[in-house]
Amino acid sequence: MLVPPFEMHVAKSVEDAISLRSKFGDDASFYCGGTELLLVMKLGLTDLAHLIDIKHVDELRSISIDDSGIQIGAAVTYREIENNPLLLADRPEFVSMISGIANLRVRSVGTLGGNLAFADPSSDPATFLLAVNGELEIGSADGKRRIVPMAGFHTGPYQPDMRDNEMIVSIRMPRNPSGGVVVHERMKLKERPNITVAVYASAAQGVVTQARVAIGSIGLIPVRFEEVDESLVGAELANLDGHLKRAATLASDNILVFDDANGSVEYKRHLVDYFVQKVARKAIETILENSNK
Amino acid sequence: MSALTIVERDTSAGRGAVGTSHDRIDGPIKLSGQALYVGDLEIPGMLYAKVFRSPIAHGRITLLDVSAAEAMEGVVAVLVGSDLTDIDPFYGHAIRDRPIVALDRVRFIGEPIAAVAAKTMAQAEAAAKQIVVEFDELQVAANLDAALAVDAPIIHDGQTAAGFAHGLGKMPDREGNICYSYALNTGDMSAASTLNEIVIDHEYIFPAVYQYSMETHAVIAEHTGTEIRLWANCQHPFLVQSEIATLFNLPISSVRINVQFLGGGFGSKSYTKMEPLAAALARKAKKPVRVVNEVSEAMVTSRRHNMKCRMVTTAKSTGELVSRDVKIWLDTGAYADNGPRVTATAGDAAAGPYRWQATQVRAHCVYTNTGPSGSYRAFGATHLQWVGESQIDEVARCAGLDPLEMRRRNLLRRGEVVRVKGKPLDADLIGDIEKVAAALGWGEERKPNRGRGISVGLLAAGAHPVSMATVRMDAAAGVSVMVGSTEMGQGTRTVMAQIAAQVLTVPMSKISVPGTDTSFTPYDRSTGASRSTTVAGKAVERAALVVRASLFETAGQVFGISDISKLFLENETVTDGKQSMTFSQIITKRFGFAGGELVGHGEVKPESGSGSYEEGPVFWEVCIAGAEVEVDRNTGVVTIVRTSSVADVGRAINPAQVERQDEGATLQGIGNAMFEEMLYSSDGDLMNDSLLEYRIPTMLDMPESMKCIIVENEDGPGPFGSKGCGEGALAAIPAAIVNALGDIGIDMYELPLTPERVWKRIQQIQQTK
């Protein structure tokens, strides 16, 4: 099917983009990498008369790393993240996760902001950001900016928590805190991942002090469960197996999954159990070995 | 022409074109983007078509209103069933069961009901959305079980009519939704049953699979009233020509088909697909019309049959095979397409190339309310080889035999009967499987969670052996080879050029092999069944020999030699060892000026009998491969570590192309075994009709090592002792993978081997321990 005809507007600034969006309302969408949007348009799932090109807005294209943390413009491509030496030095596991997304052609044009705004249930970045307490800077029509946590930003599949005429301006995450470890792993059987698990852990004196387990690409949205995170606190090498088992059981019991072409509920719960144990073990063993040094 | 003496003698003393891995002659034009495919062509005045397809799987059409569509801007014609009352609108080479567009009833989701021709594609799409249709819905049978149930809806009622290329004897009466059955019996089953000491009995499931060629079906049609022209990407232009001529009541020669390059076929473009609809729409529009399927449309135009099979293999406790009893049900979708032939080929492959006391095979082709199933690379054999070979391995395990030793003891030898009345075994299977096992490191120690498997089978290859070719040598000794084999990426043009180059000692750079234009290219039955090199290639060799005879004739006269057997060719010259003349000089001498050409025609036809399926095949294609796999027991993910395959080709005209064929077939076999599965809902909706949800193998799924062993016993019926290849590995790889899992205790009875299926089987096996 052909993409129906549409008009393209090139925005010069965030404010310009938002005012164009306000002008055309639901008949318009922001357009950047187009790796999701054009597919949706080609499939006839949406019929947009106006696209607002935000690829040339400087503010959306920058990456900065300073004492306040890491800030990545919403229109920065995956490829630009992969090729950024500062990010690689500070957050190698983040860069490595980005390198595993789709393929080179998609990464060359696809953007981090686009991924989070589209809110596909199979999002590696959303799951990762959930584990590292990532945040989003949202711009709105009144010129104000607000900062929202990644946790809660996706309220359902393809449902980002944004009001009309808002847009993601940047994505923020803390710099790699000393002593903290993040491990990210996923299993991909088709075009998109079937499960993504990212675990952050920190420790002191050989004991886990904090853990965050994010599970994505298997339910409707990436999720974290407080009781799973808490069940890992207090773990040490000697009693690790028990903590991991408990965390995995809690995660697989709590996760909301459905039978579909990607697998049965039974298999999906098993994958959650297996990957939570596997990824959390890797994160905790690494952090405990580091804290014993 | 008849005065020419054709000398059939060794021509391998030439330039050595045959047996060298010459670069693809169509490589540069494809790599530079200059090769034109049907979708690239613009015919003056051409319209664009959008097909309006059925949204329901089974129902009677109670209302079809296209008036709003006809009134849309740019729309020239809208084709509906009532436009076809002046012709018999049914087609189907095996069974004439399919109307060009739905007449009063639809039988699958995606069945064409109408087609819009408009000045632009956007106008055609917009108009198609205005078509109104209403149905009386009928009960849907979207899978084999539903179609075979006692209370199943009957998908086709009325008389069964054989198609023009049915080729499988008398059409049986239809029985419920079974449109064709094939039976084989050897020996005495009840007598054999007294010998049974080992009995293996399971039910197996093979999924529906899409051929997934890069290019979808595309055709441009023009109908002038007395002539039809088609630019199509069909694999078998001459069969389509014949079928279109019959449909539209025209002489065969008044249908002209042009086929240049295909972006892959794999069987999806074999026989007639979108051509009748395009021709009928062009007839109504009185202008050329282009029809191009989207991927989701192509997936309901052709696919591989899904299958249910029950197989019982028995043996003595020593591992000596006794009997095999097989029941097969193949889901051909809503229309037969090539289903009957697939059913017969599956039946032929069921027993496997073993010595039995008795066998009994019953294969059934079943209508369902899903997209039609047709040809797919190595059909029938791929369906059955993994079933039969996994039972051979189970017998071996019961008998305490190594799988390789099991096969050494039971495999047929050269010259033994494969199928009663058919061609005896024409290959050394034991020699081949030893090579495949050795390449896999058969005796070496296995790492944990790694298994190895081998498999062997035969595929009836060659189809009906009728091909013609013309070879023309111009006054500058350039050669064109006119042959109807379709270039669909397999490299047939290069091979045909090499055959002519070998016979005529002309460099490859002076040989051209154009695409097919049925007005000029002589008849070739089809491109498929691994037949082009063997059958069409033989016709090219014979045509080239006629040109050579003409060169000898004139050279003999100039040299004053009456015994032309003393002449031979060498580097574009004819010589008797003392005097020589270049080809150009000979042609100038023959015609009195630097013009004219030498034309040779070659023909292949059945050497005896009628060439029927029953008497065949032309040759048995050897399907032998091995695989080593590693399983992750936590997730069920299976990784193919390495594979090996045998290309038993008699003589490799182009060894590199033989290897590429085996590698492609291996990867496609991995797709069939591991990932690919068309998922239909119970109401007949194909749920994974895009690459997002339909998983095909990618470069990342390539095994660490893929070894192709070329076996050249010069025992084929093709030119220089060659026989075809390209399908064997596809049939053999899924079986080798299944056997490799069996090797580590994970017997699988359903494909594809998705991680969930393997994981569940592991749980099941652990629970029963």
Side-chain angles (χ1 to χ4, degrees):
Chain A
M1 200 177 311
L2 301 173
V3 175
F6 57 83
E7 217 176 302
M8 180 84 92
H9 309 269
V10 179
K12 294 177 189 65
S13 64
V14 169
E15 288 67 32
D16 187 24
I18 291 174
S19 82
L20 282 164
R21 178 75 170 76
S22 311
K23 184 172 158 194
F24 298 115
D26 286 347
D27 226 11
S29 169
F30 297 120
Y31 160 72
C32 201
T35 58
E36 306 280 10
L37 181 67
L38 292 182
L39 199 61
V40 167
M41 289 173 73
K42 241 183 162 173
L43 289 171
L45 298 177
T46 181
D47 197 6
L48 296 164
H50 303 274
L51 293 188
I52 302 156
D53 181 353
I54 55 170
K55 284 202 286 281
H56 308 287
V57 176
D58 284 343
E59 188 186 351
L60 300 175
R61 307 262 315 123
S62 66
I63 297 176
S64 74
I65 303 183
D66 55 33
D67 292 345
S68 65
I70 295 169
Q71 192 167 334
I72 299 170
V76 171
T77 67
Y78 301 123
R79 193 72 184 141
E80 287 163 343
I81 293 172
E82 274 183 88
N83 289 335
N84 187 296
L86 296 174
L87 275 176
L88 182 64
D90 200 79
R91 278 280 187 196
E93 69 289 340
F94 174 71
V95 173
S96 144
M97 177 274 295
I98 293 287
S99 304
I101 291 175
N103 54 57
L104 185 55
R105 281 171 303 162
V106 168
R107 290 200 302 278
S108 299
V109 292
T111 63
L112 186 56
N115 182 299
L116 298 172
F118 191 65
D120 189 287
S122 294
S123 170
D124 278 333
T127 310
F128 185 97
L129 288 167
L130 201 54
V132 299
N133 274 347
E135 294 174 326
L136 298 105
E137 179 189 7
I138 310 285
S140 45
D142 55 13
K144 287 188 183 145
R145 303 284 171 92
R146 62 190 177 103
I147 307 289
V148 300
M150 186 64 225
F153 180 65
H154 288 168
T155 57
Y158 313 105
Q159 287 169 15
D161 185 16
M162 283 194 286
R163 290 186 285 267
D164 282 350
N165 311 329
E166 284 192 328
M167 73 184 295
I168 302 175
V169 176
S170 72
I171 294 91
R172 295 158 179 227
M173 69 184 121
R175 296 187 64 168
N176 199 12
S178 57
V181 162
V182 186
V183 175
H184 167 270
E185 204 169 307
R186 56 126 183 230
M187 183 171 93
K188 189 173 129 170
L189 303 175
K190 292 185 185 162
E191 187 60 23
R192 298 204 157 103
N194 290 59
I195 182 166
T196 307
V197 172
V199 174
Y200 165 86
S202 63
Q205 284 92 44
V207 179
V208 173
T209 51
Q210 207 183 3
R212 293 192 291 267
V213 178
I215 305 156
S217 311
I218 195 159
L220 299 177
I221 51 169
V223 287
R224 258 175 62 197
F225 303 107
E226 237 171 78
E227 53 270 56
V228 173
D229 295 351
E230 279 162 13
S231 71
L232 293 171
V233 174
E236 41 195 306
L237 284 177
N239 65 11
L240 184 56
D241 288 356
H243 280 274
L244 290 173
K245 223 168 213 148
R246 177 148 174 73
T249 305
L250 283 168
S252 63
D253 285 351
N254 276 315
I255 193 98
L256 180 64
V257 285
F258 300 94
D259 284 322
D260 60 19
N262 289 322
S264 65
V265 166
E266 180 195 3
Y267 184 59
K268 287 178 181 180
R269 288 198 192 283
H270 164 72
L271 287 180
V272 170
D273 186 295
Y274 172 68
F275 277 98
V276 164
Q277 286 201 56
K278 186 182 179 199
V279 179
R281 176 183 297 280
K282 213 185 268 183
I284 292 171
E285 283 181 352
T286 308
I287 193 72
L288 292 181
E289 276 160 26
N290 289 350
S291 78
N292 284 342
K293 272 178 196 160
Chain B
M1 185 79 78
S2 59
L4 285 174
T5 313
I6 313 273
V7 188
E8 291 254 11
R9 65 164 195 242
D10 180 30
T11 49
S12 58
R15 295 177 61 89
V18 161
T20 60
S21 293
H22 195 278
D23 286 347
R24 292 280 296 264
I25 61 173
D26 52 341
I29 190 178
K30 286 181 174 171
L31 289 172
S32 61
Q34 294 176 89
L36 294 178
Y37 296 78
V38 177
D40 300 319
L41 301 180
E42 297 274 349
I43 305 299
M46 183 178 87
L47 305 173
Y48 298 82
K50 178 69 188 173
V51 180
F52 177 78
R53 293 170 180 274
S54 176
I56 67 161
H58 201 190
R60 294 193 184 283
I61 300 172
T62 53
L63 173 84
L64 177 60
D65 182 357
V66 297
S67 55
E70 283 172 332
M72 293 280 284
E73 191 191 344
V75 172
V76 176
V78 181
L79 176 76
V80 293
S82 57
D83 293 319
L84 305 172
T85 50
D86 62 323
I87 58 173
D88 180 350
F90 288 89
Y91 69 102
H93 68 281
I95 300 175
R96 276 186 86 168
D97 58 1
R98 177 151 193 194
I100 294 173
V101 290
L103 300 178
D104 54 354
R105 185 167 167 185
V106 291
R107 296 180 173 87
F108 69 97
I109 292 179
E111 175 159 11
I113 292 177
V116 179
K119 287 177 182 158
T120 69
M121 194 62 216
Q123 288 168 338
E125 284 186 358
K129 286 184 184 150
Q130 301 303 317
I131 293 174
V132 179
V133 64
E134 287 173 11
F135 304 95
D136 258 352
E137 294 204 29
L138 298 168
Q139 186 189 339
V140 174
N143 53 55
L144 284 167
D145 288 342
L148 293 167
V150 182
D151 62 344
I154 299 302
I155 296 167
H156 288 268
D157 29 35
Q159 204 51 43
T160 300
F164 75 107
H166 175 54
L168 294 166
K170 193 179 160 289
M171 282 287 299
D173 288 332
R174 196 178 295 127
E175 190 190 323
N177 286 313
I178 293 175
C179 71
Y180 176 77
S181 292
Y182 183 78
L184 286 172
N185 291 305
T186 65
D188 182 340
M189 283 300 273
S190 61
S193 67
T194 61
L195 304 168
N196 296 346
E197 286 163 336
I198 296 169
V199 178
I200 310 294
D201 179 356
H202 302 291
E203 192 174 288
Y204 301 82
I205 303 284
F206 186 94
V209 180
Y210 176 47
Q211 295 93 343
Y212 234 119
S213 58
M214 291 286 280
E215 178 199 36
T216 59
H217 309 93
V219 54
I220 300 169
E222 183 177 24
H223 193 308
T224 64
T226 54
E227 267 193 345
I228 293 176
R229 286 205 67 181
L230 297 171
W231 292 262
N233 58 10
C234 51
Q235 288 177 226
H236 313 336
F238 294 89
L239 295 183
V240 173
Q241 179 192 31
S242 170
E243 191 151 34
I244 293 289
T246 306
L247 266 175
F248 292 93
N249 298 317
L250 289 170
I252 290 176
S253 58
S254 296
V255 176
R256 181 177 175 190
I257 305 189
N258 185 301
V259 180
Q260 290 302 316
F261 295 111
L262 267 62
F266 311 113
S268 66
K269 296 161 184 164
S270 80
Y271 301 99
T272 304
K273 293 289 179 281
M274 300 305 290
E275 293 86 359
L277 182 145
L281 183 55
R283 183 176 81 141
K284 187 168 187 189
K286 297 190 169 60
K287 289 210 166 214
V289 177
R290 188 175 85 185
V291 178
V292 179
N293 268 346
E294 290 172 23
V295 169
S296 57
E297 295 177 292
M299 288 179 90
V300 292
T301 301
S302 183
R303 64 173 174 92
R304 199 202 272 289
H305 293 71
N306 52 302
M307 176 196 73
K308 188 167 84 166
C309 174
R310 171 89 182 268
M311 185 181 277
V312 185
T313 299
T314 71
K316 295 182 186 171
S317 58
T318 55
E320 187 190 321
L321 293 171
V322 173
S323 73
R324 181 168 274 182
D325 186 355
V326 194
K327 292 185 185 68
I328 301 163
W329 296 270
L330 288 149
D331 177 350
T332 204
Y335 296 99
D337 196 294
N338 205 29
R341 181 62 59 102
V342 174
T343 305
T345 310
D348 277 349
Y354 296 97
R355 229 169 283 115
W356 302 99
Q357 306 272 350
T359 61
Q360 178 171 296
V361 179
R362 297 283 179 274
H364 307 288
C365 188
V366 184
Y367 285 129
T368 65
N369 292 117
T370 59
S373 315
S375 306
Y376 183 129
R377 199 175 188 178
F379 60 69
T382 311
H383 289 98
L384 264 297
Q385 189 163 332
W386 71 282
V387 174
E389 284 296 275
S390 66
Q391 294 212 335
I392 296 293
D393 269 23
E394 284 194 58
V395 171
R397 282 196 287 278
C398 292
L401 284 176
D402 176 84
L404 184 57
E405 179 57 26
M406 174 75 197
R407 286 168 177 82
R408 283 190 198 111
R409 292 188 189 185
N410 288 287
L411 275 173
L412 293 176
R413 313 285 165 128
R414 189 187 290 274
E416 285 191 282
V417 173
V418 179
R419 179 187 61 203
V420 181
K421 293 192 210 167
K423 186 166 189 164
L425 182 59
D426 51 354
D428 171 21
L429 299 180
I430 295 174
D432 289 345
I433 195 135
E434 298 273 9
K435 290 184 181 75
V436 146
L440 211 57
W442 190 249
E444 292 164 24
E445 203 178 317
R446 292 165 180 73
K447 290 183 185 166
N449 291 318
R450 281 200 185 183
R452 293 193 194 117
I454 47 174
S455 85
V456 51
L458 293 173
L459 171 60
H464 203 98
V466 175
S467 289
M468 281 95 214
T470 300
V471 171
R472 300 162 61 179
M473 179 180 284
D474 63 42
V479 173
S480 40
V481 177
M482 317 290 284
V483 59
S485 294
T486 298
E487 177 58 68
M488 49 188 185
Q490 82 280 44
T492 187
R493 291 194 193 180
T494 307
V495 165
M496 298 303 172
Q498 284 181 264
I499 292 166
Q502 181 76 28
V503 174
L504 295 169
T505 72
V506 170
M508 287 287 282
S509 58
K510 290 182 80 169
I511 299 184
S512 64
V513 186
T516 295
D517 180 335
T518 55
S519 290
F520 306 111
T521 314
Y523 188 93
D524 178 36
R525 184 203 179 268
S526 51
T527 304
S530 304
R531 72 189 294 284
S532 291
T533 300
T534 312
V535 184
K538 192 72 191 172
V540 169
E541 184 194 18
R542 286 176 177 164
L545 286 170
V546 174
V547 172
R548 189 180 71 170
S550 299
L551 289 166
F552 284 161
E553 180 187 60
T554 303
Q557 285 162 6
V558 174
F559 295 165
I561 294 171
S562 53
D563 180 7
I564 60 163
S565 71
K566 294 200 160 49
L567 297 175
F568 56 95
L569 303 187
E570 197 177 67
N571 297 335
E572 301 176 76
T573 63
V574 178
T575 176
D576 63 357
K578 286 172 256 159
Q579 46 188 339
S580 67
M581 275 179 94
T582 68
F583 292 172
S584 297
Q585 287 168 338
I586 292 169
I587 294 171
T588 303
K589 202 81 193 171
R590 185 178 177 111
F591 298 108
F593 82 127
E597 64 176 0
L598 303 179
V599 182
H601 183 68
E603 171 180 300
V604 174
K605 60 184 192 317
E607 281 167 21
S608 61
S610 65
S612 72
Y613 186 84
E614 192 182 31
E615 297 162 8
V618 177
F619 65 99
W620 289 104
E621 185 168 353
V622 170
C623 312
I624 293 185
E628 179 171 325
V629 307
E630 181 169 330
V631 66
D632 179 342
R633 290 178 186 269
N634 294 306
T635 57
V637 170
V638 176
T639 306
I640 315 299
V641 182
R642 52 178 162 167
T643 60
S644 58
S645 60
V646 151
D648 187 336
V649 294
R651 176 95 188 264
I653 308 287
N654 186 316
Q657 287 196 178
V658 170
E659 287 171 1
R660 297 298 88 75
Q661 277 294 307
D662 254 29
E663 288 162 3
T666 295
L667 209 50
Q668 207 165 7
I670 288 173
N672 276 237
M674 307 300 301
F675 313 119
E676 298 188 51
E677 181 174 29
M678 296 169 81
L679 300 168
Y680 277 95
S681 67
S682 59
D683 52 4
D685 199 10
L686 176 59
M687 295 181 294
N688 56 343
D689 63 356
S690 84
L691 274 182
L692 282 178
E693 296 298 333
Y694 184 84
R695 168 82 152 86
I696 57 169
T698 72
M699 293 306 275
L700 299 176
D701 300 308
M702 294 253 288
E704 287 166 23
S705 150
M706 292 162 70
K707 176 113 181 109
C708 163
I709 304 144
I710 298 177
V711 173
E712 298 187 87
N713 293 330
E714 301 197 12
D715 52 358
F720 315 104
S722 63
K723 52 185 170 177
C725 68
E727 303 193 63
L730 175 47
I733 282 286
I737 292 171
V738 168
N739 282 354
L741 278 174
D743 185 37
I744 44 175
I746 310 168
D747 288 310
M748 296 298 296
Y749 308 118
E750 183 172 4
L751 297 184
L753 304 168
T754 60
E756 174 161 3
R757 229 166 244 147
V758 173
W759 177 78
K760 281 191 168 157
R761 183 82 184 110
I762 291 169
Q763 307 306 305
Q764 198 181 26
I765 291 165
Q766 276 172 358
Q767 276 159 21
T768 54
K769 262 182 187 169

